[in-house]
Amino acid sequence: MTYVIAQPCIDVKDKACIDECPVDCIYEGPRMLYIHPDECVDCGACEPVCPTESIFYEEDLPEQWSAFGAAGAEVFTELGAPGGATTTGPLAQDHPVVAGVTPAGSRT
Ligand code: F3S
Ligand code: F3S
């Protein structure tokens, strides 16, 4: 189990969560941030500081955002576990589940 960031983070990216993570395991993508499931130590420090309430313990993910559990793991398939978001830098792409979400305010 790990903590997972879900849909409300998309196009918001407040980043308050990053400052709380003791192991630097929250990685930035173009539209949202992702918690590395193998690097997260399940401390829970990030969850209460997110203003959009995007962060959940994986087991507690709301049903409508259940796809974000797998997406948060799959987005690291190529990268592996580099051991730190700051030194790695941003991810080049979002997971397709995230990239496919229609931006808020869009009519399409
Ligand atoms: Fe996103 Fe919330 Fe972090 S909006 S960047 S999960 S503080
Ligand atoms: Fe980091 Fe703890 Fe959250 S390890 S991602 S602050 S649960």
Side-chain angles (χ1 to χ4, degrees):
M1 283 294 163
T2 179
Y3 278 76
V4 173
I5 298 176
Q7 182 154 331
C9 180
I10 296 177
D11 299 330
V12 177
K13 301 208 298 189
D14 179 87
K15 298 189 187 174
C17 54
I18 289 179
D19 294 335
E20 299 302 321
C21 183
V23 296
D24 191 25
C25 72
I26 307 179
Y27 292 70
E28 182 174 0
R31 292 185 66 191
M32 70 172 274
L33 276 72
Y34 302 86
I35 293 173
H36 198 303
D38 298 330
E39 296 179 354
C40 174
V41 296
D42 289 1
C43 72
C46 56
E47 186 266 326
V49 302
C50 176
T52 62
E53 299 184 4
S54 302
I55 305 175
F56 299 87
Y57 190 54
E58 189 173 8
E59 217 167 56
D60 299 328
L61 258 181
E63 179 66 32
Q64 74 267 34
W65 297 326
S66 59
F68 285 80
E74 288 167 9
V75 78
F76 294 106
T77 301
E78 278 185 35
L79 186 63
T86 306
T87 49
T88 304
L91 304 175
Q93 290 182 316
D94 284 301
H95 189 276
V97 161
V98 174
V101 172
T102 304
S106 167
R107 293 181 190 191
T108 54

